[in-house]
Amino acid sequence: MSIFTLAFTARPEHIDELGHVNNAVWVQWIQDIATAHWASAADPAHIAQFVWVVTRHEIDYRGNIGVGEGAIGRTWISEPPRGARFNRNVAFDTPDGRPLVSAISTWAMIDRASGRPARVRPDMVARFMPGSITD
């Protein structure tokens, strides 16, 4: 499976009144790691032609971190796309492996020129699926 990782550090502006990372920040980090994965592995022509939008998030909060603490984000695609959509898995753990947040987000690919959904072709997703060159 092709897993992309990215490190995050909780800054003071990420912290809510309970003293830990706000749920909205976790959602932003889900988007950040997803778009970083796309930018790192996609064909530049595809990056220029398409943009991704979230249509659904399913998030489980299992733990949290405070200011200055880190989380290691991992993301991967485990199933082929369905038309313009696919599910992206995301998990955040502490550097020592304690689970923090996990999510499955549904993303839809949009053609930049038309603003309409576009079917995800097999050649586009091949770089992100199990057995890809980034394994």
Side-chain angles (χ1 to χ4, degrees):
M1 161 178 340
S2 297
I3 298 175
F4 179 81
T5 61
L6 191 63
F8 295 85
T9 302
R11 297 190 313 255
E13 63 269 24
H14 297 148
I15 306 304
D16 64 17
E17 61 273 6
L18 298 174
H20 54 63
V21 172
N22 186 283
N23 289 1
V25 173
W26 289 109
V27 172
Q28 180 64 54
W29 288 355
I30 290 168
Q31 180 173 319
D32 292 347
I33 194 169
T35 56
H37 188 202
W38 169 249
S40 74
D43 183 307
H46 296 156
I47 292 171
Q49 185 176 1
F50 302 105
V51 64
W52 292 94
V53 296
V54 172
T55 62
R56 182 172 192 273
H57 285 302
E58 181 179 334
I59 304 172
D60 293 309
Y61 298 96
R62 295 182 170 87
N64 219 315
I65 57 175
V67 70
E69 294 180 304
I72 305 300
R74 294 175 288 119
T75 188
W76 65 96
I77 310 302
S78 57
E79 300 173 4
R82 294 175 312 278
R85 296 178 186 209
F86 75 94
N87 290 331
R88 174 179 288 281
N89 302 275
V90 180
F92 295 95
D93 301 316
T94 61
D96 64 359
R98 182 174 50 90
L100 296 168
V101 173
S102 62
I104 298 175
S105 293
T106 304
W107 292 75
M109 188 172 74
I110 306 295
D111 181 274
R112 289 182 190 268
S114 70
R116 298 178 52 100
R119 181 173 298 279
V120 182
R121 299 184 317 261
D123 65 306
M124 298 174 76
V125 76
R127 297 175 184 229
F128 301 93
M129 292 293 298
S132 76
I133 57 172
T134 60
D135 279 354

